[in-house]
């Protein structure tokens, strides 16, 4: 019994150390009615599962084994293509939901410990289609 408890403790400790933390989120306007979301992690960002919904238009990125260290959950935006971002955390995963004005193209890229999401303009994926994740 004691041995099983020790093994369980080691497994749980390994899972806890494998978690990545979302430390910051920033938003920046770009040319051509585009904007950029920068998600900063304490380690290399995991590849998110990306989901899109057309009605209401939303772009969702799901990060497994990520905890949020953000003080806020809702971020109002003043861009023509999106009005807010929500960061939700439950059961060892963190979800970012971008509330869009309508179907909108987007791209993603990784640079260091940051994941960038560019929304609008001439991006290569459109809400309703699978996103593109390109490591830089």
């Amino acid at each position: 019994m004691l041995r099983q408890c020790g093994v369980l403790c080691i497994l749980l400790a390994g899972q806890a150390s494998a978690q990545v933390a979302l430390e910051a989120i920033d938003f920046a306007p770009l040319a051509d009615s585009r904007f950029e979301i920068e998600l900063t992690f304490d380690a290399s960002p995991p590849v998110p599962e990306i989901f899109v919904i057309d009605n209401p238009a939303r772009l969702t990125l799901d990060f497994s084994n990520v905890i949020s260290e953000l003080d806020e959950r809702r971020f109002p935006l003043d861009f023509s293509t999106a009005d807010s971002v929500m960061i939700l955390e439950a059961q060892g995963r963190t979800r970012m939901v971008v509330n869009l004005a309508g179907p909108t193209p987007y791209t993603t890229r990784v640079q260091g410990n940051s994941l960038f999401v560019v929304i609008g303009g001439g991006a290569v994926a459109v809400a309703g289609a699978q996103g593109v994740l390109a490591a830089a």
Side-chain angles (χ1 to χ4, degrees):
M1 174 85 164
L2 186 57
R3 184 175 181 210
Q4 290 173 337
C5 181
V7 170
L8 180 60
C9 290
I10 291 170
L11 289 174
L12 291 175
Q15 283 182 329
S17 66
Q19 280 195 325
V20 173
L22 174 60
E23 297 181 323
I25 185 170
D26 292 297
F27 307 94
L30 302 173
D32 302 325
S33 299
R34 297 177 304 138
F35 72 96
E36 180 176 77
I37 302 169
E38 179 182 2
L39 300 166
T40 304
F41 298 85
D42 67 348
S44 184
V47 176
E49 289 183 62
I50 300 175
F51 306 93
V52 291
I53 301 172
D54 288 334
N55 192 12
R58 291 189 179 131
L59 172 63
T60 301
L61 283 75
D62 248 358
F63 299 93
S64 294
N65 297 317
V66 171
I67 59 170
S68 175
E69 294 182 348
L70 303 178
D71 292 332
E72 303 290 324
R73 289 183 47 197
R74 186 174 193 285
F75 300 88
L77 300 177
D78 192 24
F79 299 113
S80 62
T81 53
D83 64 11
S84 66
V85 167
M86 296 283 297
I87 301 292
L88 309 167
E89 180 186 1
Q91 300 175 347
R93 71 175 49 238
T94 296
R95 174 175 285 182
M96 178 180 76
V97 178
V98 183
N99 295 304
L100 302 167
T104 305
Y106 68 93
T107 59
T108 61
R109 77 179 189 283
V110 173
Q111 183 176 341
N113 287 353
S114 292
L115 173 74
F116 294 87
V117 182
V118 176
I119 298 178
V124 296
V126 178
Q130 181 63 30
V132 173
L133 182 65

